[in-house]
Amino acid sequence: DYLCDGTADDVEIQAAINTLPVTGGELFFLDGTYNFSENLICYPNSESYYITFCGSSNSAVLNVAGNSFGYNNYGESNFTTFSLSNISVQSMQSNFIGNGILIFENCVVKNTNIQLSIYPSLSMVGCHIVSDTSSSINTFIYGGGYTSASQTTFLFANNTVEIKKGTNTTLVSSGGYGSVTGNTFLASEDVSVT
């Protein structure tokens, strides 16, 4: 068990990752807010590596605070499965590099930019997506960075999406293959979808 105190919690999270078996494992987060002060990147070193971040509800919040959060196995023949389930993530600027898949299930994902570079795929299902930053352009998912666009695949399905009016958000920008289906876009006085 690792105790986080709300300050530089990425240090304890990285330490927990480092104790996982060579094939990976699961990290369970109790309810609360986990604040990052640095990048948190996994460098898998096995052919089939998986890591799961999960909570019992979306009350476990990973506040990445604009830092990078992801994995990098570029140049390796490895396949990485990076999964987040029943957890909240906010202010994440993530870059997932190399063979693998990024999975979000039943998560709250707020003000986040996800870049898929050099072959990774994405599955985001049953999540609540929120974009309410004041930045002029916010691309939520950018698929197929560098030369691998045609090999990037994604599934964006059955999510609830809130985009605040005036944020100029691009939800998905991908040169790869994907499916965007069954999503609900919320509209209110504060939210506009165009």
Side-chain angles (χ1 to χ4, degrees):
D1 293 347
Y2 288 83
L3 179 63
C4 295
D5 61 7
T7 302
D9 295 320
D10 50 284
V11 174
E12 288 83 10
I13 295 169
Q14 184 68 68
I17 291 171
N18 294 345
T19 64
L20 293 174
V22 68
T23 55
E26 179 177 289
L27 300 182
F28 182 83
F29 291 82
L30 299 175
D31 291 356
T33 299
Y34 301 82
N35 294 305
F36 285 44
S37 63
E38 298 286 341
N39 297 336
L40 189 126
I41 307 295
C42 298
Y43 293 92
N45 57 4
S46 66
E47 289 186 10
S48 181
Y49 182 87
Y50 79 95
I51 186 165
T52 300
F53 286 54
C54 65
S56 60
S57 70
N58 291 322
S59 296
V61 180
L62 302 182
N63 177 24
V64 186
N67 291 294
S68 187
F69 177 47
Y71 71 78
N72 185 340
N73 65 15
Y74 177 64
E76 304 293 335
S77 60
N78 303 343
F79 187 92
T80 300
T81 301
F82 197 105
S83 177
L84 294 100
S85 177
N86 297 311
I87 203 163
S88 296
V89 180
Q90 65 186 29
S91 301
M92 179 171 74
Q93 302 298 316
S94 61
N95 196 4
F96 294 85
I97 302 173
N99 294 318
I101 185 167
L102 169 62
I103 301 169
F104 286 85
E105 290 183 312
N106 303 316
C107 294
V108 173
V109 185
K110 184 174 182 180
N111 299 330
T112 287
N113 179 286
I114 299 170
Q115 180 166 325
L116 309 173
S117 302
I118 320 294
Y119 312 128
S121 297
L122 170 78
S123 173
M124 184 170 286
V125 178
C127 296
H128 189 145
I129 315 302
V130 179
S131 177
D132 63 3
T133 61
S134 59
S135 63
S136 59
I137 299 177
N138 178 21
T139 301
F140 181 66
I141 300 169
Y142 176 72
Y146 307 110
T147 60
S148 61
S150 64
Q151 298 190 34
T152 297
T153 62
F154 65 87
L155 171 64
F156 190 82
N158 303 322
N159 300 296
T160 301
V161 181
E162 291 184 68
I163 301 174
K164 186 176 180 180
K165 184 176 181 179
T167 58
N168 194 16
T169 297
T170 301
L171 186 60
V172 177
S173 174
S174 176
Y177 304 99
S179 176
V180 178
T181 183
N183 299 291
T184 301
F185 293 86
L186 300 183
S188 71
E189 186 176 331
D190 298 321
V191 178
S192 173
V193 177
T194 57

